[in-house]
Amino acid sequence: MAAAEPVYSPTTVSETKSKKWLIVPTDNLDKVRCLIKVVEVLLSFVAFILEEVVTNCMSCSPLYFFEFVSCTAFLFTTLLLILLATTLHKRVGISCWPSLDFVYTALMAAFFLIASIVFASDNSGTDLENAAVAFGFLATVAFLVDAGWFVKTRGFPFKKTNQQAASNGGAPVAEAEKLNREQNEAD
């Protein structure tokens, strides 16, 4: 006797889940920008650690501002890198990742530049402070390169593209077809 076939067969196909957690390149992060973001994280971290090791300060306000900027850059860039390089960005509920990424990167470049200039102009001149300032300027360059690469590869994220370009490169031609309302009135 032949083996009995099951009466009911499965109606759905089980979905095989991908075990891959790092998904670079994605729509929001290509390999080059991922590498630049890793460099930003490392430079921000080194600047933060060097600043934390400073034991004495003549005027502490520049040191504290540099500490705030370097720590913020390290933590938020790490978070942004994790979100954009994994599938977690789909679960957050934000749809404007390119705009958010560009604005964050440009603001961090500006803040790091300001913090590095202020800290360089008002410190004791120790080797640790000078090294922290140097890594602050290197982090600034990394953030500027990231923003520049973003604009080069993806364009400015806030550029309005409502107008359609003519297919032949010339000025758009007005349509000669009558509107439906005019045709109905003629009937």
Side-chain angles (χ1 to χ4, degrees), residues 1-6:
M1 194 177 236
E5 291 189 29

Side-chain angles (χ1 to χ4, degrees), residues 131-142:
V133 168
F135 276 96
F137 281 120
L138 288 173
T140 301
V141 170

Side-chain angles (χ1 to χ4, degrees), residues 2 4 9-10 12 27 43 63 66 78 83 96 99 105 113 125 134 150-152 156-157 172-173 180:
S9 61
T12 59
D27 294 338
L43 291 173
L63 177 73
F66 188 85
T78 303
L83 286 170
C96 58
S99 300
T105 303
L113 180 63
F150 184 95
V151 171
K152 181 181 177 186
F156 190 67
V173 179
N180 289 338

Side-chain angles (χ1 to χ4, degrees), residues 104-124:
Y104 167 77
T105 303
L107 283 175
M108 268 302 125
F111 280 129
F112 239 128
L113 180 63
I114 292 167
S116 298
I117 290 171
V118 169
F119 190 38
S121 68
D122 193 9
N123 66 33
S124 303

Side-chain angles (χ1 to χ4, degrees), residues 48-145:
F48 175 68
I49 293 300
L50 287 171
E51 172 277 324
E52 282 297 314
V53 179
V54 172
T55 56
N56 293 333
C57 57
M58 292 180 356
S59 175
C60 294
S61 295
L63 177 73
Y64 295 153
F65 181 59
F66 188 85
E67 175 184 18
F68 169 74
V69 171
S70 59
C71 182
T72 302
F74 166 66
L75 293 175
F76 285 173
T77 306
T78 303
L79 177 64
L80 186 64
L81 180 61
I82 289 169
L83 286 170
L84 294 179
T86 63
T87 57
L88 291 175
H89 69 277
K90 295 176 183 176
R91 298 179 185 204
V92 175
I94 296 175
S95 62
C96 58
W97 284 109
S99 300
L100 179 102
D101 184 12
F102 178 77
V103 168
Y104 167 77
T105 303
L107 283 175
M108 268 302 125
F111 280 129
F112 239 128
L113 180 63
I114 292 167
S116 298
I117 290 171
V118 169
F119 190 38
S121 68
D122 193 9
N123 66 33
S124 303
T126 65
D127 289 341
L128 284 175
E129 290 171 327
N130 291 335
V133 168
F135 276 96
F137 281 120
L138 288 173
T140 301
V141 170
F143 280 102
L144 287 172
V145 167

